[in-house]
């Protein structure tokens, strides 16, 4: 028996043809001896009509009481029906229940914590199916862009011996007789790889023991990172904007149906295809915020509220550059023209979403990097191998890290980052 995917049935060309399908019950109702069963699969939803005059009173009675998410298979004739939810239905001549579902626990109106406890069932819904498809295209488009531009994909470790982004957000793990940590970033290891491959990138999980619980923070997320020899900060910013532009373009081309299903206004996405993106120095950003009445002084980091206000000034992603060295990581190169600031950048998404990419030119001078490590209170012995990179053929180099879930959150128009990953991990949440 050949089974069609539901999306294949939603066209006038299929009207009048006998088909078979299988999936899960998404909704159902019984009216006047007929069961109207909306069946979903990974491609869509279609209404299946089960008439007791054809398939028996007992089946219709069973369908009246059956729980949502029961798995079924059905065969019948495709009919164009404007009153059906998707404009087409299948009038069944065969209908089988494969896996019963009783008292499905998601009925609507449940609270956030209850839904997170039942995450394994919640993410079956068409909403999440659309999100996962958009995420797939983001990942596929990213890999496609790197390959076309001559970058090499590499596989850095997840277990590390030292911090990359500050010791306060490390997750310690027992590594045989020693203590190790879950990786906060692949960056330091990517820097090693540029001395053989020049342009490298990776996609790995990263872990941050963030104490805050906000709409855009996760303790575990997917991190797309890149590093290149011979690239200064401006070179790397061009890489970032071209990569993001390509990803957005691919999503608009391939996932418009999913964006529409999520109710996404795509106007901001269309402008994101156009490059170059605006560039704003940190000094100017502070002035913009102060004019908006924000009590912020030079030297303060930009938090979510400040980033949200800044995004009101732009209709597309934009860069903020040249941050004070105190608010950025030790490996960022100091600006030779103003050593108070680093040659670093953040890419902020519009509509209040804020930072999706962070990057910089890396410090390539041994003595200056050593001094920055000491200033930040790190154990120099932990970074001996990293300092070695500046002793043996150091070069100008730059890199960045892109948070896949943050990018997805913006592209799909999601209200909370927990919806951008199947099983979100944050403070107080490790189940299921």
């Amino acid at each position: 028996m050949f089974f069609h995917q539901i999306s294949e049935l939603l066209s006038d060309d299929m009207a009048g043809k006998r088909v078979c399908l299988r999936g899960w019950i998404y909704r159902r109702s019984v009216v006047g001896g007929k069961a109207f069963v909306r069946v979903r699969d990974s491609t869509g939803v279609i209404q299946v009509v089960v008439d007791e005059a054809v398939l028996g009173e007992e089946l219709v009675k069973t369908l009246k009481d059956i729980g949502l998410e029961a798995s079924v298979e059905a065969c019948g004739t495709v009919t164009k029906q404007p009153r059906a939810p998707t404009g087409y239905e299948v009038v069944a001549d065969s209908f089988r229940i494969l896996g019963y579902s009783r008292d499905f626990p998601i009925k609507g109106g449940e609270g956030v914590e209850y839904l997170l406890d039942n995450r394994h069932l919640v993410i079956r819904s068409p909403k999440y199916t659309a999100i996962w498809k958009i995420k797939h295209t983001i990942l596929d488009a990213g890999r496609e862009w790197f390959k076309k531009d001559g970058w090499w994909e590499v596989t850095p470790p997840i277990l590390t011996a030292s911090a990359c982004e500050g010791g306060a957000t490390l997750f310690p793990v027992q590594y045989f007789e020693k203590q190790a940590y879950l990786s906060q970033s692949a960056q330091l290891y990517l820097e090693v790889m540029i001395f053989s491959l020049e342009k490298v990138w990776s996609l790995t999980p990263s872990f941050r023991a963030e104490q805050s619980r906000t709409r855009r923070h996760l303790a575990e997320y997917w991190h797309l990172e890149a590093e290149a020899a011979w690239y200064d900060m401006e070179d790397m910013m061009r890489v970032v904007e071209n990569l993001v532009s390509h990803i957005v373009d691919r999503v608009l081309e391939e996932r418009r149906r999913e964006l529409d299903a999520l109710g996404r206004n795509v106007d901001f996405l269309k402008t994101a295809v156009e490059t170059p993106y605006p560039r704003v120095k940190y000094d100017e950003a502070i002035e913009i915020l102060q004019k908006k009445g924000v009590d912020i002084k030079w030297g303060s980091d930009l938090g979510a509220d400040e980033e949200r206000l800044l995004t009101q000034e732009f209709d597309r992603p934009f860069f903020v550059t040249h941050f004070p060295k105190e608010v950025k990581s030790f490996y960022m190169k100091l600006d030779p023209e103003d050593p108070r600031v680093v040659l670093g950048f953040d890419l902020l998404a519009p509509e209040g979403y804020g930072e999706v990419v962070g990057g910089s030119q890396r410090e390539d001078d041994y003595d200056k990097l050593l001094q920055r490590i000491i200033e930040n209170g790190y154990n120099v012995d932990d970074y001996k191998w990293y300092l070695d990179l500046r002793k043996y053929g150091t070069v100008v180099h730059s890199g960045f890290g892109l948070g896949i879930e943050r990018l997805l959150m913006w592209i799909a128009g999601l209200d909370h980052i927990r919806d951008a990953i199947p099983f979100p991990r944050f403070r107080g949440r490790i189940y299921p």
Side-chain angles (χ1 to χ4, degrees), residues 9-10 12 45-47 79-89:
L9 310 180
L10 305 177
D12 291 354
V45 178
I46 196 168
Q47 180 169 278
T79 303
K80 190 173 182 179
Q81 175 53 264
R83 291 176 295 176
T86 52
Y88 300 89
E89 63 185 19

Side-chain angles (χ1 to χ4, degrees), residues 102-286:
R102 295 175 177 84
D103 195 27
F104 188 69
I106 313 300
K107 297 177 172 60
E110 294 85 2
V112 170
E113 293 302 317
Y114 180 87
L115 293 175
L116 287 171
D117 286 341
N118 289 276
R119 188 74 170 179
H120 54 296
L121 300 175
V122 171
I123 58 176
R124 295 182 176 195
S125 74
K127 167 189 171 180
Y128 286 104
T129 299
I131 292 171
W132 310 147
K133 288 181 178 180
I134 294 170
K135 192 172 190 177
H136 166 87
T137 299
I138 289 172
L139 296 171
D140 189 53
R143 179 170 274 109
E144 176 187 62
W145 188 90
F146 278 118
K147 186 174 181 179
K148 286 184 176 179
D149 201 55
W151 296 67
W152 298 94
E153 184 174 5
V154 295
T155 54
I158 301 303
L159 290 171
T160 70
S162 55
C164 178
E165 296 295 336
T169 62
L170 285 169
F171 280 111
V173 296
Q174 190 66 36
Y175 186 72
F176 301 102
E177 294 79 23
K178 297 182 178 181
Q179 179 170 273
Y181 306 96
L182 296 177
S183 174
Q184 299 167 309
S185 167
Q187 180 207 313
L188 305 189
Y189 296 99
L190 294 182
E191 289 188 55
V192 174
M193 303 300 291
I194 67 171
F195 290 89
S196 56
L197 295 172
E198 297 191 34
K199 299 197 300 184
V200 298
W201 73 280
S202 66
L203 178 65
T204 64
S206 283
F207 304 85
R208 306 279 175 92
E210 301 278 1
Q211 295 301 315
S212 58
R213 186 168 171 177
T214 73
R215 66 188 287 264
R216 61 178 199 163
H217 281 94
L218 290 168
E220 176 187 0
Y221 64 98
W222 284 89
H223 210 174
L224 189 156
E225 298 177 87
E227 202 77 24
W230 321 114
Y231 280 46
D232 64 18
M233 183 178 74
E234 282 295 331
D235 295 328
M236 195 54 64
M237 289 165 67
R238 283 191 288 272
V239 169
V240 169
E241 63 191 1
N242 290 333
L243 170 67
V244 172
S245 170
H246 177 74
I247 289 172
V248 172
D249 193 40
R250 275 280 307 276
V251 171
L252 285 171
E253 179 185 351
E254 298 181 6
R255 295 289 162 235
R256 188 58 182 267
R257 187 174 75 171
E258 286 77 15
L259 293 170
D260 290 342
L262 294 171
R264 180 64 165 117
N265 182 333
V266 299
D267 290 343
F268 280 98
L269 300 182
K270 291 177 180 177
T271 62
V273 177
E274 304 169 13
T275 59
Y277 295 158
R279 282 128 165 89
V280 178
K281 286 191 175 183
Y282 171 88
D283 293 1
E284 184 182 347
I286 294 298

Side-chain angles (χ1 to χ4, degrees), residues 54 65 74 113 124 178 235 314-315 336 354 360-361 401:
V54 178
D65 298 323
E113 293 302 317
R124 295 182 176 195
K178 297 182 178 181
D235 295 328
F314 300 91
D315 65 351
S360 75
Q361 187 169 329

Side-chain angles (χ1 to χ4, degrees), residues 285 288-289 302 306-314 318:
I288 292 172
L289 292 170
L302 303 180
E306 290 78 21
E307 289 182 357
R308 177 178 54 79
L309 289 171
L310 284 174
T311 67
Q312 295 174 359
E313 303 293 309
F314 300 91
F318 63 97

